[in-house]
Amino acid sequence: MGIAASILVVLLAMFVFGSSPIIELILKKRRDKKGDDIIREPWQEIHDIPGYHDARNIAAFYPLKGEPNIMPIIEELALEGRLLLPRCEGDGIMNFYKISSLKKDLAKGHFGIMEPKDGLEKFDGEIPIFLVPGTKFNWDGKRVGHGKGYYDRFLAKHPDAFKAGIATPKQIFEEPLEQKDTDVKMHTVIACREKY
């Protein structure tokens, strides 16, 4: 059911039943199903990361369908000349590249992910902030990736960087996640809506 149809159903129900507890319960269940109840202000939370405004370089990721939709943030960082995006380059090796144009500097790479094109210079400088994807998170910063260890290996080289796990509500779990010694903990976890 589309958004317009959903709104029409709610308005019709409100017209028939008035603003009743039943309508409130239906609306609450719909919000909870989407996970809207745990999404606060993700863009503000990202902007409030310590050092975010002064950081010359911020490592992020290009989201796939179903992953957190951080497109407004990566578009903003690219315009500001501060965006670094990863490219997987061999067994367990990942490097970041400076991206100034999402249209000109990216191409489809491994797993259908938009990655920096060949010919761009690998970034070897300091990375003070990472916006990190994953498959599962706990609010206390535990993270599970896709199992290849790309991020954990790279993050281990930057122990002083601030690491923000960016997750959809479906990726945040209450039960504690099992962690390996090589898993890198996030400083914070920020919930945002999925990319559709």
Side-chain angles (χ1 to χ4, degrees):
M1 181 182 294
I3 292 174
S6 296
I7 292 170
L8 185 61
V9 168
V10 170
L11 290 175
L12 182 61
M14 287 177 77
F15 177 74
V16 173
F17 298 109
S19 183
S20 72
I22 294 170
I23 297 300
E24 292 303 317
L25 183 63
I26 290 168
L27 292 173
K28 183 183 181 321
K29 285 193 177 287
R30 187 164 287 179
R31 281 192 303 271
D32 291 349
K33 184 177 179 185
K34 290 173 62 180
D36 287 353
D37 56 323
I38 64 169
I39 296 173
R40 294 180 290 271
E41 298 290 333
W43 311 142
Q44 189 59 51
E45 289 179 81
I46 291 172
H47 282 97
D48 288 345
I49 288 171
Y52 183 88
H53 294 286
D54 298 325
R56 288 184 167 171
N57 304 296
I58 296 177
F61 61 94
Y62 195 100
L64 294 170
K65 183 179 175 183
E67 290 186 327
N69 186 10
I70 61 164
M71 289 305 295
I73 293 293
I74 66 171
E75 288 167 355
E76 175 184 81
L77 290 172
L79 283 172
E80 296 170 349
R82 304 192 298 152
L83 178 64
L84 301 174
L85 289 179
R87 184 169 70 208
C88 298
E89 302 175 307
D91 195 24
I93 298 168
M94 180 173 71
N95 289 303
F96 279 81
Y97 294 82
K98 186 77 116 179
I99 302 300
S100 55
S101 169
L102 296 179
K103 290 184 179 177
K104 294 178 184 172
D105 294 342
L106 301 178
K108 260 192 187 168
H110 292 74
F111 315 112
I113 299 169
M114 295 301 285
E115 294 183 335
K117 286 182 177 178
D118 289 334
L120 294 174
E121 188 175 340
K122 181 175 75 169
F123 185 80
D124 284 323
E126 180 187 348
I127 305 176
I129 297 170
F130 286 85
L131 305 179
V132 185
T135 59
K136 296 179 182 179
F137 292 89
N138 286 148
W139 285 118
D140 67 357
K142 292 186 183 84
R143 172 189 170 272
V144 174
H146 289 279
K148 301 279 188 186
Y150 286 99
Y151 267 93
D152 291 311
R153 272 189 289 282
F154 199 91
L155 293 172
K157 298 176 193 174
H158 298 270
D160 297 328
F162 189 93
K163 300 155 190 86
I166 311 296
T168 67
K170 291 177 189 172
Q171 294 174 323
I172 298 173
F173 292 78
E174 294 299 324
E175 60 274 9
L177 296 174
E178 193 174 315
Q179 297 285 277
K180 297 179 277 196
D181 291 341
T182 54
D183 290 337
V184 175
K185 196 170 183 181
M186 304 291 101
H187 291 97
T188 190
V189 174
I190 297 172
C192 69
R193 288 177 178 80
E194 289 181 29
K195 183 179 178 187
Y196 294 101

